[in-house]
Amino acid sequence: MPLISLIIPVYNVEQYLAKCVDSVLAQTCGGFEVILVDDGSTDSSGALCDRYAAAHPQLIRVIHQENAGLGGARNTGIDAARGDYLLFIDSDDFVSPELTVQMMPFAQAGMDMVIFGAVTVDTDGRVLEDSADGYPENTELELSGFPELIFGWPSACIRMYKKTLFTDTGVRFPSRVWYEDIRTTTKLYTHARHVRYLAQNLYFYLNRPGSITKNANVARNREIIDAFEDILDFYRNSGLFDRYCPQLEYLALYHLYTAASVRVLRIDPRAPLLGELRRWMQTHFPDFRKNRYIGRMTGTKRLAFRLVDMKMYRTLRLLFKIKGGQ
């Protein structure tokens, strides 16, 4: 039976870590190990990791390291993993008890990647958003035949990966940056030949104060430009940019131009970064307004895109205020 390694980076999450690890221990299927990477925590998170490892020595290992950021901690877990397959879990989130039992048949079948559904919940457990991608089920997918794979929600935590996708390609998570997920998953798609999708919500994101979507640091949102420069360079260097240009254009339109602009204007509608995002989009994809995938946006996202594009920032801020900031 294949072994699945569950990698959990840990940094100053003592309030949330127990729920995360307990959800892993509640799995209804064996055949997995847990790697807790204490990324230089300054609270009691590291000690809590040690207590879990002492209580479950055959199942849980702890690695303590100097702070390297989320990406660096995940890379440490990749290098330490004994499993054939990898799952990444953020330490303030939690998973369904059915996660490993649902993933095991795909691992036994030798899939390169399995994508599954997730929901976002608040601290009271209320569901805020369903993040399911809605891909075709019961069929193998590959980027060359199904380029819409690129549009998948970029979170690293809603996929199971064959370990060789990392070890044989050299793809790793960048350290100490925002948007490390989209930099990585978009590259892995080019190497994955056998991908399956499971429309079952097995992962639960916790929307809490201090998360990236609630962070009021305008300057750090600029890192999405660095992320897309990295992605486009990778596709160009791989000789794949022209082939997937429409998909990459839509990815940038959605995440860089629309979503990042909305985050910035909710913090500071006069931030110069709004103009920088617009100029980047116009420079790299001058015909982005004609992208054939715009119609796949939800009504709200499409409206946000149009309002950003027309610089109607006050209207967009009012829209989010009416919606309660969700």
Side-chain angles (χ1 to χ4, degrees):
M1 183 168 67
L3 179 67
I4 302 174
S5 297
L6 281 69
I7 298 169
I8 307 177
V10 177
Y11 180 72
N12 289 356
V13 285
E14 58 182 334
Q15 181 179 351
Y16 307 100
L17 182 59
K19 184 170 185 177
C20 175
V21 178
D22 288 345
S23 74
V24 171
L25 295 175
Q27 295 302 297
T28 60
C29 174
F32 68 93
E33 65 168 358
V34 181
I35 303 173
L36 298 173
V37 183
D38 172 28
D39 191 38
S41 295
T42 58
D43 64 0
S44 300
S45 298
L48 183 55
C49 289
D50 289 335
R51 290 198 294 273
Y52 270 107
H56 305 274
Q58 303 303 314
L59 183 63
I60 299 177
R61 285 185 286 147
V62 179
I63 300 172
H64 298 280
Q65 67 177 30
E66 293 185 7
N67 182 262
L70 179 59
R74 286 175 178 163
N75 292 337
T76 296
I78 293 170
D79 293 336
R82 298 168 182 157
D84 309 284
Y85 285 85
L86 310 176
L87 286 162
F88 300 102
I89 304 172
D90 288 349
S91 51
D92 52 355
D93 298 331
F94 56 98
V95 296
S96 164
E98 300 296 310
L99 176 60
T100 56
V101 74
Q102 292 293 336
M103 291 298 102
M104 189 58 70
F106 296 110
Q108 292 172 326
M111 294 295 104
D112 292 323
M113 183 188 297
V114 182
I115 307 166
F116 46 88
V119 294
T120 301
V121 299
D122 63 15
T123 52
D124 294 322
R126 292 174 298 206
V127 174
L128 304 177
E129 183 179 7
D130 188 323
S131 302
D133 286 320
Y135 292 144
E137 286 193 283
N138 304 315
T139 185
E140 285 194 21
L141 305 173
E142 184 182 359
L143 188 62
S144 61
F146 190 70
E148 290 79 11
L149 272 176
I150 290 179
F151 301 153
W153 194 248
S155 169
C157 299
I158 58 170
R159 294 165 177 81
M160 180 178 72
Y161 312 83
K162 184 178 281 189
K163 186 180 178 181
T164 53
L165 278 180
F166 293 94
T167 58
D168 290 0
T169 67
V171 175
R172 286 293 190 274
F173 292 96
S175 299
R176 302 184 182 281
V177 298
W178 278 10
Y179 308 107
E180 66 281 318
D181 287 1
I182 198 168
R183 288 176 182 242
T184 306
T185 54
T186 50
K187 298 172 185 176
L188 292 176
Y189 284 136
T190 68
H191 297 289
R193 299 291 176 262
H194 306 283
V195 181
R196 289 286 297 271
Y197 173 69
L198 179 65
Q200 184 170 342
N201 292 327
L202 300 173
Y203 193 91
F204 297 86
Y205 299 108
L206 179 63
N207 187 354
R208 65 179 179 90
S211 67
I212 188 171
T213 56
K214 290 185 175 295
N215 195 302
N217 188 332
V218 170
R220 293 219 64 179
N221 278 278
R222 192 196 179 281
E223 293 182 37
I224 198 167
I225 293 178
D226 300 329
F228 271 88
E229 293 282 1
D230 181 19
I231 293 166
L232 299 192
D233 284 347
F234 174 85
Y235 273 78
R236 289 190 182 102
N237 294 336
S238 302
L240 297 173
F241 179 81
D242 290 341
R243 182 173 187 174
Y244 297 110
C245 184
Q247 292 80 27
L248 294 169
E249 179 182 68
Y250 177 74
L251 194 73
L253 182 156
Y254 188 98
H255 290 282
L256 182 148
Y257 188 52
T258 304
S261 292
V262 168
R263 280 195 297 273
V264 171
L265 74 88
R266 291 174 68 182
I267 301 167
D268 179 6
R270 294 168 300 208
L273 180 55
L274 289 168
E276 191 173 355
L277 294 170
R278 176 183 298 269
R279 289 190 296 273
W280 188 95
M281 199 71 199
Q282 291 172 335
T283 298
H284 291 80
F285 299 106
D287 295 323
F288 69 89
R289 296 176 182 87
K290 300 177 183 178
N291 187 277
R292 66 176 182 259
Y293 293 108
I294 290 176
R296 68 181 286 126
M297 284 180 164
T298 64
T300 300
K301 296 291 186 183
R302 192 159 58 248
L303 175 60
F305 162 61
R306 299 300 184 193
L307 292 175
V308 165
D309 201 39
M310 292 186 290
K311 300 184 182 181
M312 298 180 65
Y313 300 148
R314 290 184 179 179
T315 302
L316 191 50
R317 281 169 61 87
L318 178 60
L319 173 65
F320 275 95
K321 183 178 293 187
I322 293 173
K323 290 175 63 65
Q326 303 300 330

